[in-house]
Amino acid sequence: MDDIPGSLGWPVIGESIAFIYEFSSPSGIFSFMNKRQQRYGKVFKSFVLGRFTVFLTGREASKILLTGKDGMVSLNLFYTGQQVLGPTSLLQTSGEAHKRLRRLIGEPLSVDGLKKYFQFINTLAIETLDRWSGRNVNVLEEVSTFTLQVIGNMIMSLEPSGREQEEFRANFKLISSSFASLPFKVPGTAFYRGIKARDRMYAMLDVVISRRRQGEVRQDFLESLIMKQAKTAGGEENDDKLTDAQLKDNILTLLVAGHDTTTAALTWLIKFLEENPPVLEQLRDEHRQIQVQRTEGTSLTWSEVNNMPYTAKVISETLRRATILPWYSRKAAQDFEINGYKINKGWSVNLDVVSIHHDPEVFTNPYKFDPTRFDTPLRPFSFLGFGSGPRMCPGMNLAKLEICIFIHHLVCRYRWKPLEKDDSVQPTLVRMPKNKYPVAVEPL
């Protein structure tokens, strides 16, 4: 590692304090990366959150790390994430086991699989926005509740309100906030609270799974996985059989992956729209056209939500500008070379996505919010809104569906103004506005 430039910081803690501190600055972790890139170049080493790591950026690096070709790298969660999500999570498996899990999980999340949840999501978006009229709202909180209600219903038919939903939400918030914490399992720490909340969440899932096995039938994600288990319970080995531990680890993985990222994307999108009136007007036109062509008294339909070309570009530009997952972490499964530096097997290698998304050679005037960048196809590996390669986000279609539905009802009904100007980012793994984006909402 000697020939790779960079600093390992203080003994034991390394550069963790600077790393966590930069998280909360307006540009988030990008400022941590950027300062060091200017000093050391596109490849540098550091020691953060308990481990040696090499940070890389650029299209070549993203191609190598995301295609994972020839088994060069595997996914690499921080210790806290590994402990909270459990060993059989999709995010911790690789090779054939990963492919199999991904196939099982991918079916209900495919475009066809999502069709049956469309009406629920549409009704929930309308009910959520009914409460916004003439009020001051915290967009992030509202959107977080909406996306959690969607994923809770899809996975285990959780009702949008009631005691179970409250318990579910309280545990989920603690789990979510433990991911970027220091790995000290001591009472009072975020990590400890996250582990305890995970245990309570698993106990809840045990109760739900046992009710299903006793004959309660629901049309949800859990049901489809339990049905596969039941079919193969005859003793013979089958590719579709998951253990209860695998069931719970992967349901939690879907909750975490499907909630935080969509919540952040939708919040940033609403913020960017307000800051860019011409974009908002063009988007509103697209949605008004959809409304105009509709029969009196009917609501949004499945085919309409799948035909919103400008909205799709606005979503992509939001994911580029906000870069919700600022880096992707991998582990070198073998020795390899990149940018003239040797990476040793076992090292943690992190791809800096913010720099890729703001590369002026690919995106002219990169800090401008401009959805027309997506009028023509981009060069491969220059836009990583949903990742790329074998680990591309399996919930991509669900995220787009939730955002399109929510935005349709929002722009057709309301205008909104921020109650304060603040571009700071929360100190969490997923980039979100620190002030939760409070706005005053008025009917159009």
Side-chain angles (χ1 to χ4, degrees):
M1 194 146 159
D2 289 338
D3 55 342
I4 294 179
S7 160
L8 301 180
W10 297 85
V12 185
I13 57 168
E15 295 194 293
S16 300
I17 291 171
F19 188 73
I20 289 170
Y21 173 76
E22 300 280 14
F23 249 129
S24 318
S25 69
S27 56
I29 201 62
F30 179 56
S31 49
F32 177 89
M33 311 278 195
N34 200 256
K35 283 175 194 166
R36 285 156 185 78
Q37 279 166 8
Q38 285 174 1
R39 203 178 306 156
Y40 307 118
K42 276 188 169 182
V43 181
F44 67 88
K45 65 186 175 191
S46 183
F47 187 87
V48 290
L49 300 184
R51 70 180 185 204
F52 281 113
T53 191
V54 178
F55 286 98
L56 314 157
T57 192
R59 282 176 66 241
E60 186 203 348
S62 79
K63 189 175 176 182
I64 288 176
L65 297 188
L66 298 182
T67 56
K69 81 177 187 310
D70 311 325
M72 272 167 54
V73 293
S74 59
L75 197 75
N76 189 26
L77 293 176
F78 277 110
Y79 175 78
T80 42
Q82 289 173 19
Q83 296 300 305
V84 175
L85 286 180
T88 68
S89 157
L90 179 72
L91 297 179
Q92 300 218 59
T93 53
S94 54
E96 285 309 309
H98 176 262
K99 276 185 199 159
R100 172 177 161 264
L101 262 180
R102 202 181 161 91
R103 178 174 52 78
L104 291 177
I105 284 168
E107 279 169 35
L109 290 172
S110 67
V111 174
D112 284 343
L114 292 171
K115 218 173 196 167
K116 64 179 178 189
Y117 305 110
F118 170 74
Q119 224 34 70
F120 175 83
I121 300 172
N122 190 41
T123 307
L124 189 64
I126 294 168
E127 286 170 0
T128 301
L129 287 162
D130 281 344
R131 297 191 288 271
W132 283 27
S133 189
R135 281 183 52 218
N136 292 350
V137 296
N138 259 342
V139 173
L140 184 73
E141 300 252 308
E142 293 278 321
V143 165
S144 168
T145 300
F146 167 72
T147 55
L148 201 54
Q149 286 168 333
V150 168
I151 198 97
N153 183 271
M154 278 182 65
I155 285 177
M156 53 195 207
S157 299
L158 256 191
E159 290 301 323
S161 57
R163 190 187 59 80
E164 237 184 337
Q165 174 69 237
E166 289 308 310
E167 204 179 306
F168 175 72
R169 193 150 77 228
N171 287 327
F172 183 81
K173 280 187 167 173
L174 292 171
I175 292 167
S176 186
S177 57
S178 69
F179 280 94
S181 60
L182 291 167
F184 302 129
K185 208 169 175 178
V186 181
T189 62
F191 181 40
Y192 182 84
R193 287 196 295 267
I195 294 281
K196 291 290 172 202
R198 191 271 320 271
D199 295 344
R200 289 192 296 273
M201 184 78 92
Y202 280 7
M204 257 180 99
L205 283 170
D206 283 331
V207 172
V208 178
I209 291 167
S210 124
R211 286 202 307 250
R212 298 299 173 84
R213 292 205 173 117
Q214 285 160 18
E216 181 183 280
V217 178
R218 295 290 177 92
Q219 293 299 308
D220 57 22
F221 189 82
L222 183 58
E223 190 72 23
S224 72
L225 293 180
I226 287 175
M227 290 296 289
K228 283 178 176 161
Q229 260 191 331
K231 277 180 194 157
T232 58
E236 75 274 24
E237 273 308 300
N238 185 294
D239 247 16
D240 286 349
K241 190 164 167 56
L242 292 176
T243 63
D244 279 12
Q246 285 174 318
L247 256 181
K248 291 186 288 190
D249 282 356
N250 286 290
I251 281 171
L252 182 61
T253 300
L254 282 178
L255 286 172
V256 171
H259 170 267
D260 288 16
T261 48
T262 308
T263 298
L266 193 40
T267 306
W268 285 115
L269 197 151
I270 293 169
K271 180 171 159 45
F272 289 142
L273 284 178
E274 193 281 329
E275 290 167 359
N276 298 275
V279 175
L280 175 55
E281 269 324 295
Q282 193 172 339
L283 186 78
R284 198 170 261 144
D285 283 348
E286 176 165 276
H287 289 273
R288 284 211 171 115
Q289 284 302 314
I290 292 170
Q291 257 188 332
V292 168
Q293 290 158 10
R294 198 182 289 150
T295 320
E296 188 65 41
T298 57
S299 188
L300 187 64
T301 65
W302 174 255
S303 63
E304 287 167 350
V305 92
N306 284 294
N307 185 26
M308 298 177 170
Y310 188 68
T311 307
K313 290 172 198 170
V314 171
I315 293 172
S316 293
E317 180 65 346
T318 297
L319 295 175
R320 183 193 73 81
R321 270 296 287 117
T323 310
I324 289 150
L325 289 173
W327 79 89
Y328 297 140
S329 188
R330 298 290 185 266
K331 191 176 198 169
Q334 59 191 53
D335 294 355
F336 64 91
E337 247 187 51
I338 193 162
N339 286 48
Y341 293 108
K342 187 183 172 212
I343 304 292
N344 287 352
K345 182 180 173 177
W347 282 359
S348 163
V349 274
N350 289 303
L351 181 69
D352 162 23
V353 185
V354 185
S355 301
I356 291 170
H357 280 178
H358 293 79
D359 180 351
E361 286 181 24
V362 181
F363 302 104
T364 331
N365 196 354
Y367 291 91
K368 183 175 190 267
F369 189 84
D370 178 11
T372 63
R373 297 177 195 283
F374 293 89
D375 286 350
T376 50
L378 293 168
R379 287 153 71 193
F381 300 103
S382 54
F383 172 64
L384 305 170
F386 289 102
S388 191
R391 290 194 178 267
M392 197 156 180
C393 170
M396 177 169 81
N397 295 317
L398 172 62
K400 288 177 179 173
L401 180 65
E402 288 179 83
I403 294 170
C404 286
I405 292 173
F406 198 91
I407 285 298
H408 172 76
H409 296 296
L410 175 70
V411 300
C412 287
R413 291 173 65 178
Y414 296 127
R415 66 169 70 89
W416 60 97
K417 275 273 166 274
L419 293 168
E420 56 182 70
K421 279 282 181 210
D422 180 13
D423 292 322
S424 302
V425 178
Q426 285 188 24
T428 48
L429 280 187
V430 175
R431 283 160 63 99
M432 302 187 193
K434 196 174 187 180
N435 68 351
K436 300 182 180 175
Y437 194 52
V439 296
V441 181
E442 282 173 31
L444 280 172

